[in-house]
Amino acid sequence: MQAIQIEAFGNPADVMKVVDIPDVGAPAEDEVIIALEASPINMSDLLMIAGRYGHRPKLPSVMGTEGAGRVVAVGGGVKHLKQGDRTLVPYPAPAWAERIRANASRLRPLPSGDVNQFAMLGINPPTAYLLLTDFVTLPSGSWVVQNSANSSVGRALIPIAKSLGLKTVNVVRRDDVVAELKAIGGDVVLVDGPDLANRVAAETGKAPVALAVDGVGDTSTTNLLGCLAERGVHVFYSMISGKPSVVPATHLIYRDISVRGFWLANWFKSAKPDQITQMYDRLTPLVASGAISAPIAGTYRFGEIAEAVAVASKNRGKVLLRVG
């Protein structure tokens, strides 16, 4: 069967190769075999391939970390999935292969819906959900501020927050996405800048903001910290600026702000199977209904991987690899 594999870390366009590898064979008692339909190329995938991510797989390695496909074989002990069901490729199983062998314990059948959107359910929506729920207990009606609001995590955070009864201040870096984020439910959408805290206070009626979600770094961190109430929590999950975060100590000292970090891979290491399935049970209907939806820049076959990577590297919408 075909797969996309690397044998060395480096420029993704140079080191990613379509190869023939042995078939996964029959499932064990607690396993299923999934025929991949779609899998996104995430920026984290490209960083991992380049050797610049928090995890380096043992080489050679089939790449990809999430996706969706059809169950084509079921182990004897699996009762909750059957052949023909659509399900997720469990994060972080190597996804860029025609067929994937997976433990079935935390997999569930997916409802009807867009397979391309389901393929992106594995990473970004859980990240957004856990950022909202794992760090601060937020009563209904509370305000949350996030930068990188136009990212896939940011776009997922807006409807998830709404489902939790929360209001969002969404900070972006381009004027042209303001109306679009308002249209998908962003309560307040503002372009980043040094006066951000004053504008957030004006838009929210000076409501206290207990949680800030930071995916940018650089001076955007400074601006976001200024929006927080005393004893607020500032959580980093990415640094898409590529620059170190600027964190004035005065915010931490005089207003007792806490700074935390979040990486989904670490959460999965300690999460129990029922925590994982309950989380996906909450998020799946939001994807099925279209409430959570990521813009798609293009879909490509395995053999078009070089073109797919070139488009994905522009970071202007998700690129998906399709099989079948």
Side-chain angles (χ1 to χ4, degrees), residues 32-36 69-71 87-90 98-100 102 107:
V32 293
I33 306 300
I34 302 168
L36 183 70
R70 294 285 183 184
V71 174
T87 192
L88 296 181
V89 175
E98 289 183 294
R99 286 173 294 282
I100 298 106
L107 299 180

Side-chain angles (χ1 to χ4, degrees), residues 11-286:
N11 180 359
D14 297 330
V15 300
M16 294 168 67
K17 307 294 182 186
V18 180
V19 298
D20 288 312
I21 62 173
D23 194 84
V24 293
E29 185 77 0
D30 59 350
E31 292 179 334
V32 293
I33 306 300
I34 302 168
L36 183 70
E37 292 181 280
S39 175
I41 301 176
N42 293 310
M43 291 308 297
S44 57
D45 294 318
L46 299 180
L47 289 170
M48 192 183 303
I49 292 163
R52 296 164 46 210
Y53 197 58
H55 168 68
R56 281 190 168 206
K58 184 179 179 180
L59 301 178
S61 179
V62 175
M63 301 308 296
T65 45
E66 66 173 335
R70 294 285 183 184
V71 174
V72 294
V74 180
V78 178
K79 305 303 180 185
H80 59 287
L81 286 168
K82 65 183 184 300
Q83 188 172 338
D85 283 343
R86 176 175 282 157
T87 192
L88 296 181
V89 175
Y91 172 83
W96 295 344
E98 289 183 294
R99 286 173 294 282
I100 298 106
R101 177 197 294 268
N103 184 285
S105 62
R106 57 184 174 91
L107 299 180
R108 297 292 182 270
L110 291 169
S112 299
D114 184 344
V115 67
N116 289 336
Q117 296 297 330
F118 281 133
M120 298 182 282
L121 170 56
I123 295 176
N124 290 322
T127 296
Y129 176 76
L130 294 166
L131 287 166
L132 288 170
T133 58
D134 267 24
F135 295 93
V136 181
T137 300
L138 297 169
S140 181
S142 297
W143 285 91
V144 176
V145 62
Q146 66 160 338
N147 59 18
S148 192
N150 191 44
S151 69
S152 295
V153 170
R155 284 172 171 265
L157 187 144
I158 293 170
I160 294 170
K162 196 169 291 293
S163 77
L164 296 170
L166 306 176
K167 299 178 181 179
T168 56
V169 177
N170 304 279
V171 183
V172 296
R173 295 183 289 174
R174 308 194 328 257
D175 288 294
D176 61 311
V177 298
V178 170
E180 187 175 349
L181 292 188
K182 286 183 177 179
I184 67 171
D187 296 290
V188 175
V189 186
L190 301 170
V191 177
D192 205 352
D195 62 340
L196 180 66
N198 290 334
R199 289 183 285 139
V200 169
E203 291 285 347
T204 62
K206 297 184 179 180
V209 179
L211 177 65
V213 174
D214 192 341
V216 179
D218 196 17
T219 56
S220 184
T221 297
T222 308
N223 302 336
L224 210 59
L225 281 166
C227 301
L228 280 172
E230 287 189 10
R231 298 184 178 85
V233 178
H234 186 112
V235 187
F236 292 97
Y237 73 93
S238 183
M239 292 192 303
I240 60 173
S241 68
K243 298 179 181 179
S245 295
V246 181
V247 182
T250 51
H251 289 300
L252 312 185
I253 297 169
Y254 299 126
R255 296 196 294 118
D256 199 15
I257 301 296
S258 299
V259 177
R260 300 286 303 277
F262 176 80
W263 187 28
L264 186 63
N266 284 337
W267 185 85
F268 267 96
K269 288 176 185 177
S270 59
K272 297 177 181 179
D274 62 334
Q275 288 179 289
I276 297 170
T277 53
Q278 287 169 14
M279 176 182 68
Y280 282 120
D281 285 347
R282 183 176 190 109
L283 297 174
T284 296
L286 294 175

